[in-house]
Amino acid sequence: CGWLLVCWAGRVAASPSGAAPAPPDPPLIAPALALRLAERAVAENFPDADTVLVADHTRVLYRPDGTSIEWNEEYTKVLTEKGRRSARTRSYGYMTQYGRVHLLEAEILRADGTRVPVDLEACSREMVEPSQIGANIYDPNHKVLTLTLPGLEPGDLTRLVVARTTDKARVPDTWSDYTVLEYTAPILWAEHAVLAPAERPLAVLRLRDEIPGKVS
């Protein structure tokens, strides 16, 4: 897999608190790149995989007060029936006192080139996170937003665009985040970018076990 982590400083625009961000324009991932990579995501190349993360891009924009907007665009190739069952439902957890998750776009790309848009309102459901009951916890602010992709079949390519808004920083005037640079399926291409305000840039960058040419 190939990961690229990019950080830069610039002017950060404000947006209404709690408002759903617009989808990125242009898209975070060039469609031609995703389709070219998807051609490599076949069972012969990944015999032990049920799905392949073809392309993934996350862009985080944070403000001096610690609030932020995060966009993610993802292409996933379904290889097997087991992969179809796991990929047809996606869940996104969040805490309502800090922010929201917004489903922006979803579609299924068939092998014949047909693009099938997903009705986000009809195919999504928001509820209190049910798994916390197992830990004898019930916090109504802990929500999960679930999206179902109807009609998904092995061989299909899914495209999802999701945004997270942080409307209240956990620590005032401090932005915090983390990302895991690995996945449960093969990764062909992934990028994580951070846009920092010029007046409050990232102060510390620590890298362990550097892989030359992979992080800049």
Side-chain angles (χ1 to χ4, degrees):
C1 66
W3 269 99
L4 179 64
L5 179 63
V6 182
C7 304
W8 73 95
R11 186 169 298 279
V12 178
S15 66
S17 177
D25 184 23
L28 299 178
I29 301 172
L33 170 64
L35 294 177
R36 185 167 68 251
L37 290 170
E39 295 177 355
R40 295 167 43 194
V42 294
E44 290 78 5
N45 294 335
F46 302 96
D48 299 323
D50 297 303
T51 63
V52 174
L53 183 58
V54 171
D56 182 273
H57 182 107
T58 298
R59 180 172 299 170
V60 185
L61 178 157
Y62 73 87
R63 308 181 186 90
D65 63 359
T67 61
S68 64
I69 303 174
E70 174 184 308
W71 293 270
N72 175 260
E73 183 173 11
E74 170 200 306
Y75 285 82
T76 297
K77 183 73 171 289
V78 179
L79 301 185
T80 67
E81 172 60 22
K82 181 179 179 181
R84 183 197 71 83
R85 293 195 300 268
S86 66
R88 90 179 282 267
T89 303
R90 297 298 302 269
S91 296
Y92 306 90
Y94 63 96
M95 303 294 288
T96 58
Q97 66 265 49
Y98 297 111
R100 291 292 304 270
V101 172
H102 308 271
L103 301 175
L104 303 182
E105 296 178 355
E107 59 181 340
I108 298 171
L109 288 72
R110 308 290 190 192
D112 63 2
T114 304
R115 306 179 81 97
V116 181
V118 176
D119 186 329
L120 297 179
E121 183 175 356
C123 297
S124 62
R125 180 186 180 191
E126 183 183 66
M127 68 182 79
V128 175
E129 169 57 69
S131 65
Q132 60 182 323
I133 302 299
N136 197 30
I137 297 172
Y138 182 79
D139 183 351
N141 293 313
H142 190 183
K143 298 290 185 69
V144 60
L145 182 60
T146 301
L147 175 67
T148 300
L149 305 178
L152 188 64
E153 298 293 340
D156 289 345
L157 182 67
T158 66
R159 173 179 175 266
L160 304 176
V161 183
V162 179
R164 290 180 179 270
T165 54
T166 299
D167 306 308
K168 177 184 177 182
R170 284 169 168 78
V171 179
D173 302 325
T174 302
W175 174 75
S176 62
D177 192 17
Y178 73 92
T179 186
V180 179
L181 303 181
E182 59 184 359
Y183 195 51
T184 56
I187 303 171
L188 297 186
W189 182 89
E191 186 171 72
H192 191 98
V194 179
L195 176 61
E199 62 269 41
R200 195 177 287 266
L202 294 174
V204 177
L205 178 64
R206 179 174 297 173
L207 181 66
R208 296 181 179 179
D209 299 327
E210 179 180 359
I211 302 175
K214 294 297 182 181
V215 179
S216 61

